[in-house]
Amino acid sequence: MPLQKMIGAAFFAALIGILSQLSLPIGAVPHTLQVFAVVLAGVVMGPRYGALSVVVWILLGFFGIPVFAMAQAGPSIVLGPLGGFMIGFVVQAFVCGFCRLSAGTLFRRVGIALLSLCIVYLIGAVWFTATYTYLLQKPMTLSQAFLVCALPFIPFDAVKVVLAVGIGSRIAGALKKAGADFF
């Protein structure tokens, strides 16, 4: 792996960790800028290295660095009810990496990124349901999990996705012009 790509992945892992701290605790899941940072990582770094930056962020948190929302860390966070959203973020960064590869319009790139957000919600809600039902022995349906963990966040996350695609596309274009492209 070239040094430039390792530095980029490390930078975006750190950025995700920093933006995870900016949160508004509303409901079961706080509103953070994680979605913005994950989409930005994918758009700027591309599928492989965008996803890698999210994996690095998860590993940092898993091993005790407080990079998750509200300065949380540890295996209990990654393997707990909200861990599915972290797995979803890896997929989201990978999918958003294709925004860079898409020769289409900004509208098309935003569509790809919004699709990735749906994937995050699906993986997160399924994981949330499974951990509540099987690990915590509390009955939870998929629709209940969606109502708690996804529905309240759709408008805010959609805005973050649109902003991240727009900003990320400009950053990626500037990096390409400067000869510092991550592809």
Side-chain angles (χ1 to χ4, degrees):
M1 178 186 312
L3 180 62
Q4 178 179 350
K5 293 179 182 180
M6 288 191 309
I7 291 170
F11 171 79
F12 277 101
L15 184 66
I16 297 166
I18 291 166
L19 293 181
S20 295
Q21 303 316 308
L22 304 175
S23 65
L24 294 170
I26 299 172
V29 183
H31 284 281
T32 69
L33 291 178
Q34 288 171 336
V35 169
F36 175 83
V38 168
V39 172
L40 193 65
V43 172
V44 173
M45 296 291 294
R48 282 181 40 200
Y49 295 103
L52 177 63
S53 65
V54 178
V55 170
V56 169
W57 168 71
I58 293 170
L59 288 173
L60 288 170
F62 185 87
F63 289 112
I65 308 293
V67 294
F68 300 140
M70 297 181 294
Q72 295 180 337
S76 64
I77 303 301
V78 177
L79 302 174
L82 302 178
F85 290 96
M86 293 179 193
I87 294 166
F89 287 155
V90 175
V91 175
Q92 183 175 39
F94 185 81
V95 170
C96 286
F98 291 103
C99 290
R100 230 14 248 260
L101 302 174
S102 172
T105 63
L106 182 62
F107 182 75
R108 183 176 178 168
R109 289 181 290 212
V110 168
I112 292 169
L114 288 172
L115 173 65
S116 75
L117 185 60
C118 294
I119 294 168
V120 170
Y121 290 148
L122 177 64
I123 295 170
V126 167
W127 184 284
F128 192 86
T129 301
T131 55
Y132 259 78
T133 302
Y134 301 110
L135 186 64
L136 301 175
Q137 299 294 317
K138 297 179 181 176
M140 170 77 63
T141 65
L142 188 57
S143 62
Q144 288 172 322
F146 181 79
L147 288 172
V148 171
C149 297
L151 189 62
F153 302 94
I154 291 173
F156 302 106
D157 287 347
V159 169
K160 292 180 248 182
V161 164
V162 170
L163 290 172
V165 169
I167 292 168
S169 296
R170 295 198 62 144
I171 292 170
L175 286 172
K176 189 172 187 172
K177 281 184 181 178
D181 197 15
F182 289 105
F183 281 100

